[in-house]
């Protein structure tokens, strides 16, 4: 399955997907990386191994709709069947989400529905949870909602800062995202109402 990855910055989750997709038995290949920020460091990670990249700078579009139309055009031209948000910092309209229903997924650094939005790690620490983690989910119009494909739990340590916790969660993200993309690309993760069903692997 050809996938498009949308990024805004560092691109460490993109890197995890690049490494997974390099394995011969991986069912997804990265056909295109799109950044809405020209300076997104993740672009170089893709370019380094010859994955096509495109900068679609949202500031050059008078409307969100125009920006998203350009993104959809680029994804379609590259033949993408699944779109992975990986640190993509633009809220997408309902129209874009509907265009890619059940073919648009996101990774968020908390155990959703806990701590949606920004500042997740600071909120986790302020709340005093002992376990946090990461979630990969199909995207719906409301931010950080949608049927959950997979989650990884991470312990919170007494001496954690938001930064140390973020680093521990990020490590879990790098294993979780490729795993969840594999489930979707293999056709094993399918949406059923508000939930995702995961079919057993063929043996
Ligand atoms: C990750 O923590 C991801 O969960 C969140 O944004 C961060 C992106 O990091 N949506 P990176 O750009 O993949 O390194």
């Amino acid at each position: 399955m050809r996938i498009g990855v949308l990024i805004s910055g560092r691109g460490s989750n993109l890197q995890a997907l690049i490494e997974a997709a390099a394995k011969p038995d991986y069912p997804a290949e990265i056909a295109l990386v799109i950044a809405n920020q020209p300076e997104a460091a993740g672009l170089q990670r893709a370019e380094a191994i010859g994955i096509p990249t495109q900068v679609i700078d949202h500031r050059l579009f008078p409307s969100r709709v125009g920006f998203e139309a350009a993104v959809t055009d680029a994804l379609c031209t590259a033949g993408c069947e699944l779109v992975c948000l990986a640190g993509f910092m633009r809220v997408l309209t309902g129209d874009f989400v509907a265009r890619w229903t059940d073919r648009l997924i996101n990774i968020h650094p908390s155990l959703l529905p806990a701590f949606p939005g920004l500042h997740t790690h600071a909120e986790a620490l302020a709340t005093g949870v002992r376990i946090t983690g990461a979630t990969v989910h199909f995207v719906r119009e409301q931010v950080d909602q949608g049927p959950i494909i997979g989650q990884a739990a991470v312990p919170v340590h007494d001496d954690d800062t938001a930064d140390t916790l973020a680093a521990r969660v990020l490590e879990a993200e790098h294993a979780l995202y490729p795993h969840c993309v594999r489930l979707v690309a293999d056709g094993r993760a399918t949406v059923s109402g508000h939930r995702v069903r995961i079919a057993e692997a063929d043996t």
Side-chain angles (χ1 to χ4, degrees):
M1 175 180 277
R2 290 171 72 79
I3 65 171
V5 184
L6 269 52
I7 62 168
S8 296
R10 179 177 58 185
S12 70
N13 278 289
L14 166 65
Q15 183 71 42
L17 292 173
I18 289 173
E19 284 166 23
K23 294 180 190 137
D25 68 332
Y26 199 70
E29 69 172 296
I30 303 175
L32 179 65
V33 173
I34 297 176
N36 68 309
Q37 299 279 2
E39 63 280 4
L43 286 169
Q44 282 140 38
R45 299 178 189 265
E47 283 157 11
I49 64 147
I51 294 172
T53 62
Q54 203 165 323
V55 173
I56 303 180
D57 186 340
H58 62 277
R59 289 163 297 200
L60 303 180
F61 292 83
S63 70
R64 218 173 257 277
V65 171
F67 165 69
E68 292 179 353
V71 172
T72 289
D73 271 0
L75 290 167
C76 291
T77 303
C80 298
E81 299 158 276
L82 175 70
V83 182
C84 302
L85 306 180
F88 185 68
M89 301 305 284
R90 298 294 295 168
V91 173
L92 295 161
T93 66
D95 282 349
F96 184 90
V97 172
R99 166 70 182 73
W100 293 97
T101 303
D102 298 345
R103 292 182 299 145
L104 175 61
I105 68 178
N106 179 47
I107 185 158
H108 180 77
S110 75
L111 292 175
L112 291 173
F115 316 126
L118 301 172
H119 314 300
T120 44
H121 304 299
E123 280 176 27
L125 291 175
T127 311
V129 293
R130 307 303 311 195
I131 294 173
T132 184
T135 302
V136 175
H137 62 96
F138 286 104
V139 174
R140 294 293 181 260
E141 191 170 350
Q142 262 117 354
V143 171
D144 297 331
Q145 291 198 21
I148 292 172
I149 302 163
Q151 295 185 299
V154 170
V156 179
H157 296 169
D158 288 345
D159 59 354
D160 265 333
T161 63
D163 286 347
T164 59
L165 186 54
R168 195 174 309 117
V169 171
L170 194 63
E171 225 181 289
E173 291 182 48
H174 295 163
L176 180 68
Y177 213 179
H179 169 71
C180 291
V181 169
R182 177 191 281 279
L183 290 177
V184 176
D186 272 342
R188 289 179 54 207
T190 50
V191 178
S192 165
H194 296 298
R195 301 178 64 183
V196 172
R197 282 184 199 284
I198 309 287
E200 294 292 322
D202 292 337
T203 47

